[in-house]
Amino acid sequence: MNEYIIPVIAAVVALIIGFVIAKIMAKNSASGTVAAAKNEAASIVKEATSQGETLKKDKMLQAKERFLELKSEHEKVILSRDKKMNDAEKRIRDKESQISSEIAKNKKLNSEIENKAKNYDERLSVLDKKTSEVEKAHRNQIQQLEVISSLSAEEAKEQLMHSLKDEAKTQAMAFVQTSVEEAKMTAQQEAKKIIINTIQRIGTEEAVENCVSVFNLENDDVKGRIIGREGRNIRAIEAATGVEIIVDDTPEAIILSCFDSVRREVARLSLHKLVTDGRIHPARIEEVVKKTSRQIEEEIIDVGKRTVIDLGIHGLHPELIKAVGRMKYRSSYGQNLLQHSREVSKLCGVMASELGLNPKLAKRAGLLHDIGKVPESETELPHAILGMQWAEKYGEKAEVCNAIGAHHDEIEMTSLLSPIVQVCDAISGARPGARRQVLDSYIQRLKDLEEVAFGFNGVNKAYAIQAGRELRVMVESEKVSDEKAAQLSFEISQKIQTDMTYPGQVKVTVIRETRAVNIAR
């Protein structure tokens, strides 16, 4: 036990001695570090003081230099202001001297003017005296002349005026008579010359509208497919289009007969699509006819646009363009209405140029003069008045509207375009082969025949076929029963018999069809 205590005590004593020695050494080291830091701080302070003095001296030098610069600039500004003030004083002195010299001149001029005014007054007094003397002498002369001629001055003046008036009237009448005679001699020749030149510059074909169209086939086997089983296909086509289809022995052709060229065109295009497609049955026929009717409406607009572009007419209202396109499928006394209007437009342009008028406005009036012949619904107004109302409605100029309304003398002509349009319309319609009046009356009779059927309730469609010898009437099955259909046929035939004049007899066929349609969803 004692053996272990002694070494432990020795070790503790050694540790204490080492700790004391370490503390003494650390204290000595810290005092040395503090002394070094103090020395370094003193040197830094000394160096900062010296740098501050140097910086202070530099700033003072810069401030002095800036002061000198500002002083010199201020002196320059003061010198420039002094110079400007001196210049201004000099200009003022010059002005004063100039004004004083002008005042002196004005005084001199005033004195001269006063002298001239005095001389002028003296001359005026002398002139007044001489004028009074001349007037007195003139009155004396007039009195002497009145005594000699035994007439007063007023009476002599009136006699002279009467003689001059009579002489002037005689000369004016002679001049007017000569001018009128010359105009009568040359006006007719000039008018004929202008018309002949206009006709010679317009070359058109003799085209007459017919009431039939020929539809060519690849072979005669197609005829059987068009007729269908028990004729159901051909009946469906006739019912949908209102066109009579004539299938005869003519090889590779069938005939489409209808007075309405729009219906004929719809039927022709529909047949072309059906034959090309190969599917020909009643449901397909109705579908194709509806699509073709819409296609014809679009084609009417395209025809109108192409026509106005070809004639160089701009700014036409879309409804008027549509009316121009409908002219393609209308005829006037057998003459195609669009071709007639184009011809009249060109004639008007040429004639207006010859007379020194506006050719574009004349062509516009010529193209639109017959738009009243293509109404979408029947009206009692004359076509010229109806066309004028349309033109006014769609913003055409007053000259164009008057030319449209006056080309058949329904209204008074108020512009030079009106007689030009009237003359050109007569030229286009009067040339040989252009028109056939019998055809126009025939077409009007067929239209009246269809209108009779539309006057009854429940009628959906009505078509005059067989050159007016048959009237086919399609009725709505919901409004017309089978018994009523027979009665309707009798009533229509009686109305035709009492209201219309026609050759031969007219067969009235009323067709009533019942359909039941349901949709599986």
Side-chain angles (χ1 to χ4, degrees):
M1 188 70 179
N2 293 328
E3 292 177 359
Y4 292 108
I5 293 171
I6 294 169
V8 170
I9 293 169
V12 170
V13 171
L15 283 172
I16 292 169
I17 294 168
F19 179 74
V20 171
I21 293 169
K23 282 289 186 179
I24 294 167
M25 289 178 68
K27 185 176 182 182
N28 293 331
S29 176
S31 62
T33 302
V34 170
K38 286 181 178 180
N39 292 330
E40 187 175 356
S43 64
I44 289 170
V45 169
K46 186 178 180 181
E47 185 178 356
T49 303
S50 64
Q51 288 181 357
E53 291 293 333
T54 305
L55 185 61
K56 182 179 179 182
K57 291 178 181 179
D58 292 338
K59 291 294 182 180
M60 288 179 69
L61 289 173
Q62 290 178 2
K64 287 180 180 179
E65 290 176 356
R66 180 62 179 164
F67 175 73
L68 293 173
E69 290 177 358
L70 291 173
K71 185 179 178 182
S72 63
E73 290 177 0
H74 185 64
E75 289 176 352
K76 288 180 180 178
V77 171
I78 291 171
L79 289 174
S80 64
R81 287 181 180 176
D82 291 341
K83 185 178 180 182
K84 288 181 181 178
M85 289 175 66
N86 293 330
D87 293 338
E89 289 176 356
K90 184 179 179 182
R91 285 197 298 272
I92 290 168
R93 287 194 297 272
D94 293 339
K95 288 283 185 183
E96 288 177 351
S97 62
Q98 186 177 357
I99 289 168
S100 61
S101 62
E102 288 179 355
I103 289 171
K105 288 180 181 179
N106 288 332
K107 288 180 179 179
K108 186 177 179 181
L109 287 172
N110 288 332
S111 62
E112 291 178 356
I113 290 169
E114 289 176 357
N115 295 328
K116 288 182 179 180
K118 290 178 181 178
N119 295 330
Y120 181 71
D121 291 336
E122 293 175 357
R123 290 181 181 180
L124 278 177
S125 62
V126 174
L127 184 61
D128 289 338
K129 290 179 181 178
K130 289 184 178 180
T131 304
S132 61
E133 291 176 359
V134 169
E135 288 179 354
K136 186 176 180 181
H138 180 64
R139 283 195 297 271
N140 292 332
Q141 287 180 356
I142 290 173
Q143 289 175 359
Q144 290 177 3
L145 289 173
E146 288 177 353
V147 171
I148 293 170
S149 63
S150 67
L151 289 173
S152 65
E154 293 297 329
E155 292 174 352
K157 190 186 294 183
E158 287 180 2
Q159 287 185 3
L160 180 61
M161 287 175 64
H162 281 302
S163 63
L164 290 174
K165 280 181 181 179
D166 294 337
E167 185 179 356
K169 281 182 181 180
T170 305
Q171 292 180 357
M173 289 295 291
F175 177 75
V176 169
Q177 188 174 0
T178 305
S179 301
V180 169
E181 289 176 357
E182 288 180 359
K184 286 181 179 178
M185 292 174 62
T186 59
Q188 194 169 3
Q189 291 180 347
E190 290 295 325
K192 287 181 179 179
K193 182 180 178 182
I194 291 173
I195 292 173
I196 291 170
N197 288 337
T198 304
I199 293 172
Q200 288 175 346
R201 290 173 63 180
I202 302 295
T204 54
E205 299 178 358
E206 295 182 5
V208 178
E209 284 286 313
N210 296 314
C211 291
V212 295
S213 298
V214 179
F215 182 74
N216 296 313
L217 304 172
E218 293 181 357
N219 53 65
D220 288 336
D221 295 337
V222 182
K223 289 184 179 179
R225 294 168 58 196
I226 291 174
I227 295 171
R229 183 180 297 176
E230 298 178 357
R232 64 175 187 174
N233 289 344
I234 195 169
R235 284 199 303 272
I237 295 171
E238 289 180 346
T241 60
V243 174
E244 182 184 3
I245 300 177
I246 301 171
V247 182
D248 53 13
D249 296 335
T250 306
E252 297 180 355
I254 61 176
I255 297 172
L256 309 177
S257 175
C258 182
F259 69 93
D260 192 334
S261 55
V262 177
R263 292 188 205 165
R264 281 207 317 275
E265 186 67 10
V266 170
R268 188 186 68 79
L269 292 176
S270 300
L271 276 175
H272 178 73
K273 290 180 181 178
L274 291 167
V275 171
T276 305
D277 184 49
R279 295 177 293 167
I280 306 176
H281 52 83
R284 176 65 178 165
I285 288 168
E286 290 182 0
E287 179 186 353
V288 169
V289 168
K290 287 180 180 178
K291 289 182 179 179
T292 306
S293 299
R294 290 194 296 269
Q295 180 183 344
I296 289 294
E297 290 296 324
E298 295 175 358
E299 185 180 350
I300 284 172
I301 297 173
D302 291 338
V303 168
K305 289 180 179 178
R306 288 198 300 270
T307 301
V308 297
I309 290 171
D310 290 344
L311 295 174
I313 297 171
H314 304 287
L316 207 62
H317 194 278
E319 288 298 327
L320 295 180
I321 292 176
K322 191 175 179 181
V324 170
R326 284 203 299 269
M327 291 182 185
K328 179 182 178 181
Y329 301 104
R330 294 289 186 275
S331 62
S332 176
Y333 298 103
Q335 184 182 23
N336 182 268
L337 196 57
L338 180 61
Q339 182 178 350
H340 166 66
S341 297
R342 289 174 64 104
E343 185 177 348
V344 171
S345 177
K346 292 178 181 177
L347 288 166
C348 289
V350 174
M351 195 170 289
S353 299
E354 291 289 335
L355 296 173
L357 301 176
N358 187 348
K360 292 186 177 180
L361 207 60
K363 290 171 72 175
R364 197 182 193 95
L367 178 65
L368 299 177
H369 81 285
D370 268 348
I371 56 172
K373 289 185 177 180
V374 289
E376 294 182 350
S377 59
E378 294 296 327
T379 178
E380 298 295 330
L381 285 174
H383 74 273
I385 302 298
L386 181 61
M388 180 184 70
Q389 291 178 356
W390 282 3
E392 290 174 347
K393 179 180 178 182
Y394 297 120
E396 290 298 317
K397 292 184 178 180
E399 297 94 327
V400 176
C401 297
N402 182 258
I404 295 171
H407 77 278
H408 284 312
D409 293 325
E410 274 88 0
I411 63 172
E412 185 181 355
M413 296 182 181
T414 59
S415 70
L416 288 175
L417 288 183
S418 302
I420 290 176
V421 172
Q422 188 179 49
V423 169
C424 294
D425 179 44
I427 291 171
S428 175
R431 60 185 177 81
R435 291 186 171 183
R436 206 161 52 192
Q437 294 189 5
V438 177
L439 177 63
D440 199 64
S441 60
Y442 158 73
I443 291 174
Q444 187 60 43
R445 183 170 64 85
L446 296 186
K447 286 182 179 179
D448 294 340
L449 189 62
E450 291 182 352
E451 287 298 322
V452 170
F454 281 116
F456 290 86
N457 188 25
V459 175
N460 188 18
K461 298 177 183 177
Y463 300 126
I465 59 176
Q466 298 278 346
R469 290 190 297 274
E470 181 178 353
L471 178 64
R472 289 189 182 176
V473 182
M474 267 68 80
V475 296
E476 299 177 11
S477 59
E478 295 84 0
K479 296 182 179 180
V480 181
S481 62
D482 288 338
E483 294 79 8
K484 187 68 182 296
Q487 182 183 353
L488 183 64
S489 174
F490 175 74
E491 290 176 355
I492 293 174
S493 64
Q494 291 299 312
K495 189 169 181 60
I496 292 171
Q497 187 172 342
T498 56
D499 294 352
M500 295 188 65
T501 302
Y502 53 91
Q505 60 186 14
V506 179
K507 177 183 177 182
V508 180
T509 304
V510 176
I511 301 172
R512 179 179 180 271
E513 182 180 16
T514 304
R515 294 188 184 184
V517 180
N518 289 291
I519 299 173
R521 301 183 185 277

